[in-house]
Amino acid sequence: MENRILMVCLGNICRSPLAEGVLKNKVNPDTVFVDSAGTGGYHIGNPPDFRSIAIAKKYGIDISKQRCRQFMASDFDSFDTIYAMDKSNYNNIVRLAKTADDIAKVKLLLEESDSVETEVPDPYYGANDGFELIYHLIDAACTSIAVKL
Ligand code: 4NP
């Protein structure tokens, strides 16, 4: 059966599009479906931030064709696991849950990683090296997820 995984951040233009692209690059698309969404609605329909597109491209991944969408309550029915990039995203997702089963699907992405970090920091207002940092945090977690699938 297909495994369905949703990556979620605030804007769905920096962190979660990168997480979607990185995980897709490590799994079999016939058995694993990966998508991303943002808890906020500021950038709906937009491509990822140019800095996320650039860092993905540096590591051989094209995320330029992704388009931003907002997380919705029906995503709890459509996905098996929902990964939040940070605790604020986690709380925003869980607020829309209707059942304990919904809540049980939500994890912090870095729970999957050995990293001492617990959150993928929001790089939107920071310097470009923030994107290098989040790439490596996301990549390590996605490697662990792909190994377990
Ligand atoms: P993301 O970064 O949650 O990683 O996509 C952000 C992008 C945009 C905004 C905040 C965070 N914003 O406030 O517009």
Side-chain angles (χ1 to χ4, degrees), residues 87-117:
K87 290 169 189 170
S88 166
N89 309 148
Y90 179 93
N91 291 333
N92 287 331
I93 297 163
V94 163
R95 202 171 292 137
L96 295 173
K98 292 191 187 64
T99 68
D101 283 350
D102 288 351
I103 295 172
K105 292 182 175 185
V106 191
K107 295 179 183 174
L108 283 171
L109 179 67
L110 298 190
E111 283 177 37
E112 300 290 358
S113 152
D114 295 335
S115 163
V116 291
E117 311 281 345

Side-chain angles (χ1 to χ4, degrees), residues 46-65:
N46 292 353
D49 186 284
F50 69 96
R51 296 163 296 177
S52 274
I53 292 175
I55 200 75
K57 190 174 175 194
K58 177 179 172 184
Y59 292 99
I61 301 168
D62 180 11
I63 64 167
S64 65
K65 293 178 191 67

Side-chain angles (χ1 to χ4, degrees), residues 67-82:
R67 293 296 177 266
C68 171
R69 75 165 177 92
Q70 191 165 18
F71 179 81
M72 50 195 167
S74 62
D75 285 322
F76 287 112
D77 305 319
S78 309
F79 290 91
D80 303 299
T81 309
I82 297 167

Side-chain angles (χ1 to χ4, degrees), residues 8-17 38-39 42-43 49 51-52 85-86 89 120-125 131 134:
V8 180
C9 61
L10 173 59
N12 190 215
I13 57 167
C14 295
R15 292 166 291 177
S16 61
T39 58
Y42 324 106
H43 302 282
D49 186 284
R51 296 163 296 177
S52 274
M85 299 298 124
D86 66 27
N89 309 148
V120 182
D122 183 344
Y124 189 59
Y125 294 107
F131 286 77
I134 66 163

